[in-house]
Amino acid sequence: MISRRQFFHTTLSASVAAAIPMLPGCEKKVPIATEADTSIRGISLDGAELELEKTAIRELGESMTGPVLLSGHPEYDSTRMIWNGMHDKRPALIARCMSSRDVSNAVTFARERRLLTAVRGGGHSWPGKSVCDDGIMIDLSPMRAVTADTEKRRAYAGGGALLNALDTASLEHGLVTTAGVVSHTGVGGFTLGGGFGRLNRKYGLAIDNLRSAEIVTADGKIRRINDQEDADLFWAIRGGGGNFGVVTEFEFELHPFDRNVLSGSIVWPVAQARDVLEFYGDWYQGLSDELYVGPTMATMPDGTAIILMEVVYNGDPTMGEKELEPLRKIGTPIDDGVKVQDYMVMQTQEDAAFGHGVRSYIKNGMVREITQGLVDAMIEAYINDPRLALFTHTVGGAAKRVGEMDTAFPHRNAETMLIVGGGWMDPADDESAIALSREWYYKLDPFTGGYYDNIDFDGAEAAGNYGPAYPRLRQIKGQFDPGNLFRLNSNIEPAA
Ligand SMILES: Cc1cc2nc3c(=O)[nH]c(=O)nc-3n(C[C@H](O)[C@H](O)[C@H](O)COP(=O)(O)OP(=O)(O)OC[C@H]3O[C@@H](n4cnc5c(N)ncnc54)[C@H](O)[C@@H]3O)c2cc1C
């Protein structure tokens, strides 16, 4: 069976793979190396040089359960590396947090010094916002446990949990919530930015399933927030990203779910793209909430240009087969891998293709209507290059029925998301692959309105992208983070 992104072939070199932190969390606390210098160089929130006293760093380490890592520590390099190999940054110190108290101490240390602060959840930030040069990295990866309460139908995920653990802990009990399409992505950044997944038409975005959170705000306070307690703050974190504090626990609603789902991909030669896309342009409007579909145009590693439709039907497979019938009559597929299979097959099938250490650039735009003009542009813009692809992610359904201001997520009217980008291993490819991605994406951009911040390398204009939510977000930012400690994100300017 051809997976949606199999072309995104990224074979990791042994050295890159070895440098990826694997399930960290319980390692012994290692004392900070002592050197002749009494301080190390840091950088302030405004970019000014700072002297960080080693005694203060040692005190921070002693106040925490997890270790503080400095350059030269055996785990420093593997911890500072994030998913996208384009980012090679060296924090002055890394606070590996094992508890909310650890996070609070690290936040207080940073705030008191106005030290540049990066927060790392799962480390999948495309633009590399979870790491910085000369600041502090608050590393949540030791806090990755997920537990499920079957009676309450809730999952509790640590601030550094990965989507795989969220899916696994829920499915074990015949339950599920919306998680994204690559299972080593972090729950943290994914959820705070919105959270699209193959179940979003039925259950909404990840934020629509968030029932409460524990968060450490810039003042160091640990708060449990929901739609009653600190309701403004709870509203803001549902779409406002990491602007408001460090979330140490997410509580998600779970739904009963049969993990044997009708799912897979149907693949056609790209020459049949017009038939497939024109069909999709009519079909998506009448889809049931149970059916998720997403067309992808790509080039396989052997040079074969394809269009494929990924399908997940969350319901009775017989009903799903019926709904898929018209799709199966389109053109002459070269592969049809849609069958009843375990949901985790789909949820993990792209993990290796999107391996850690890949160099990756991506852009997206939200689409309200698939017009003939858009279909023509998708066909005309296609670039035959195995490093690149056009993905779509169908939204609509339950995600669209949530009111525009019910959460801080601004793209409720979208029917689909267009994503253009790719991955490669050789830095020498950076310039050409980024230029081609941009060339491809900007032919489609006139058909979009706003972009999804989580899947965009450039993420420029925060104010415009938050839409009508922005003034309220600014007020809440001003209340909870007036000094803009949490600024390495799609940043919201605190209201005075
Ligand atoms: C391979 C891949 C597949 C993806 N698939 C999907 C998908 O299917 N659906 C989708 O919606 N998105 C998807 N994304 C985008 C993804 O949602 C974002 O990259 C997201 O930021 C990843 O979260 P993270 O915790 O791994 O990232 P990190 O790099 O750790 O964090 C990104 C930012 O989020 C904030 N942050 C993270 N954790 C916390 C926390 N606990 N508290 C406070 N702030 C925090 C910080 O501001 C940080 O800079 C994908 C990304 C990749 C690389």
Side-chain angles (χ1 to χ4, degrees), residues 96-386:
R96 301 210 72 201
C97 298
M98 301 188 74
S99 67
S100 310
R101 181 54 53 203
D102 283 2
V103 173
S104 170
N105 292 343
V107 164
T108 301
F109 177 92
R111 189 199 62 247
E112 286 175 350
R113 290 161 183 78
R114 302 197 71 250
L115 179 61
L116 186 64
T117 300
V119 178
R120 178 195 165 122
H124 278 49
S125 164
W126 244 292
K129 298 278 172 78
S130 42
V131 63
C132 59
D133 280 327
D134 299 321
I136 183 171
M137 178 196 247
I138 296 180
D139 174 30
L140 305 173
S141 47
M143 299 175 68
R144 55 175 57 181
V146 181
T147 55
D149 182 327
T150 49
E151 268 178 34
K152 287 192 186 156
R153 289 192 183 155
R154 293 286 193 265
Y156 302 88
L162 304 185
L163 295 179
N164 192 309
L166 178 60
D167 271 338
T168 304
S170 313
L171 290 168
E172 206 175 297
H173 304 288
L175 299 166
V176 81
T177 194
T178 303
V181 304
V182 173
S183 89
H184 47 67
T185 308
V187 170
F190 165 82
T191 302
L192 297 169
F196 290 93
R198 295 177 174 114
L199 303 178
N200 57 219
R201 292 178 51 77
K202 179 79 174 170
Y203 304 125
L205 305 179
I207 49 171
D208 302 330
N209 294 281
L210 191 66
R211 294 293 164 260
S212 78
E214 184 184 77
I215 185 169
V216 178
T217 41
D219 56 7
K221 199 168 163 190
I222 303 169
R223 303 162 194 260
R224 172 61 65 174
I225 62 173
N226 53 37
D227 55 12
Q228 306 292 320
E229 300 291 318
D230 283 322
D232 276 351
L233 185 56
F234 187 58
W235 174 85
I237 66 163
R238 286 177 289 161
N243 270 286
F244 301 94
V246 183
V247 176
T248 46
E249 187 181 83
F250 297 86
E251 177 188 352
F252 293 103
E253 180 171 353
L254 300 177
H255 312 273
F257 184 70
D258 182 346
R259 62 190 296 165
N260 297 305
V261 285
L262 184 68
S263 57
S265 298
I266 303 176
V267 186
W268 299 261
V270 87
Q272 295 177 35
R274 180 169 295 284
D275 292 344
V276 176
L277 292 174
E278 284 182 352
F279 170 78
Y280 173 63
D282 288 334
W283 195 47
Y284 77 93
Q285 301 182 61
L287 294 181
S288 70
D289 286 359
E290 282 71 24
L291 185 57
Y292 162 80
V293 295
T296 291
M297 295 171 79
T299 307
M300 300 294 287
D302 68 0
T304 311
I306 57 158
I307 180 162
L308 67 80
M309 187 78 80
E310 188 184 282
V311 168
V312 174
Y313 187 82
N314 164 25
D316 179 352
T318 319
M319 302 288 287
E321 292 283 6
K322 219 166 166 192
E323 197 168 348
L324 285 180
E325 255 170 37
L327 176 67
R328 286 193 154 125
K329 290 187 182 139
I330 301 301
T332 315
I334 49 179
D335 189 49
D336 183 342
V338 178
K339 60 184 180 195
V340 175
Q341 55 184 338
D342 191 283
Y343 178 63
M344 281 310 276
V345 173
M346 296 300 290
Q347 290 294 82
T348 56
Q349 70 175 5
E350 286 146 27
D351 284 8
F354 283 97
H356 289 83
V358 63
R359 305 176 76 79
S360 183
Y361 177 87
I362 209 143
K363 293 200 75 59
N364 79 85
M366 307 303 291
V367 173
R368 290 187 184 176
E369 194 187 352
I370 301 167
T371 58
Q372 187 62 45
L374 174 55
V375 170
D376 293 345
M378 286 166 88
I379 291 160
E380 199 257 317
Y382 174 72
I383 295 176
N384 192 322
D385 184 322

